[in-house]
Short mmCIF file of all heavy atoms in Angstrom, two decimals:
data_model
loop_
_atom_site.label_atom_id
_atom_site.label_comp_id
_atom_site.label_asym_id
_atom_site.label_seq_id
_atom_site.Cartn_x
_atom_site.Cartn_y
_atom_site.Cartn_z
N ARG A 8 3.44 13.44 13.06
CA ARG A 8 2.73 14.14 14.14
C ARG A 8 3.72 14.79 15.09
O ARG A 8 4.89 14.41 15.19
CB ARG A 8 1.80 13.18 14.86
CG ARG A 8 2.26 12.11 15.81
CD ARG A 8 3.64 11.71 15.88
NE ARG A 8 3.92 10.68 16.86
CZ ARG A 8 4.77 10.81 17.87
NH1 ARG A 8 5.47 11.90 18.03
NH2 ARG A 8 4.98 9.82 18.71
N ALA A 10 3.60 15.59 19.16
CA ALA A 10 2.76 15.17 20.30
C ALA A 10 3.30 15.72 21.60
O ALA A 10 3.78 14.98 22.45
CB ALA A 10 2.70 13.64 20.34
N PRO A 11 3.26 17.03 21.77
CA PRO A 11 3.85 17.60 22.99
C PRO A 11 3.07 17.26 24.24
O PRO A 11 1.85 17.12 24.21
CB PRO A 11 3.79 19.11 22.73
CG PRO A 11 2.63 19.30 21.81
CD PRO A 11 2.62 18.08 20.93
N SER A 12 3.80 17.10 25.33
CA SER A 12 3.16 16.99 26.64
C SER A 12 2.99 18.41 27.16
O SER A 12 3.96 19.16 27.21
CB SER A 12 4.06 16.21 27.60
OG SER A 12 4.32 14.93 27.06
N GLU A 44 -0.38 15.29 24.31
CA GLU A 44 -0.12 14.08 25.07
C GLU A 44 -0.13 14.39 26.57
O GLU A 44 0.92 14.54 27.20
CB GLU A 44 1.24 13.51 24.65
CG GLU A 44 1.20 12.02 24.51
CD GLU A 44 2.18 11.55 23.47
OE1 GLU A 44 3.37 11.78 23.63
OE2 GLU A 44 1.74 10.97 22.47
N TYR A 196 2.56 6.91 29.06
CA TYR A 196 2.96 7.42 27.76
C TYR A 196 3.27 6.31 26.73
O TYR A 196 2.74 6.31 25.62
CB TYR A 196 4.15 8.37 27.93
CG TYR A 196 4.98 8.53 26.69
CD1 TYR A 196 4.48 9.20 25.58
CD2 TYR A 196 6.26 7.96 26.62
CE1 TYR A 196 5.24 9.32 24.42
CE2 TYR A 196 7.02 8.08 25.47
CZ TYR A 196 6.51 8.75 24.37
OH TYR A 196 7.25 8.85 23.23
N VAL A 200 0.97 6.26 23.46
CA VAL A 200 1.57 6.79 22.23
C VAL A 200 1.51 5.75 21.11
O VAL A 200 1.23 6.09 19.95
CB VAL A 200 3.03 7.28 22.50
CG1 VAL A 200 4.00 6.12 22.66
CG2 VAL A 200 3.50 8.21 21.40
N ARG A 214 11.09 12.49 16.22
CA ARG A 214 11.12 13.09 17.56
C ARG A 214 12.57 13.12 18.04
O ARG A 214 13.48 12.63 17.38
CB ARG A 214 10.24 12.30 18.52
CG ARG A 214 10.66 10.87 18.69
CD ARG A 214 9.65 10.09 19.53
NE ARG A 214 9.98 8.67 19.52
CZ ARG A 214 9.14 7.71 19.88
NH1 ARG A 214 7.92 8.01 20.26
NH2 ARG A 214 9.52 6.45 19.85
N HIS A 218 13.95 10.17 23.16
CA HIS A 218 12.89 9.16 23.16
C HIS A 218 13.33 7.82 22.60
O HIS A 218 12.55 6.86 22.59
CB HIS A 218 11.67 9.66 22.38
CG HIS A 218 10.89 10.69 23.14
ND1 HIS A 218 10.21 10.40 24.29
CD2 HIS A 218 10.71 12.02 22.93
CE1 HIS A 218 9.63 11.49 24.75
NE2 HIS A 218 9.93 12.49 23.95
N1 LIG B 1 4.94 13.73 24.61
C1 LIG B 1 6.33 13.55 24.30
C2 LIG B 1 7.11 14.77 24.66
O1 LIG B 1 6.56 15.84 24.79
C3 LIG B 1 6.55 13.27 22.84
C4 LIG B 1 6.63 11.85 22.61
C5 LIG B 1 6.68 11.41 21.19
O2 LIG B 1 6.90 12.23 20.29
O3 LIG B 1 6.50 10.24 21.02
O4 LIG B 1 8.29 14.69 24.80
#
Side-chain angles (χ1 to χ4, degrees):
R8 74 346 179 239
S12 302
E44 222 150 61
Y196 157 70
V200 75
R214 61 187 172 197
H218 285 294

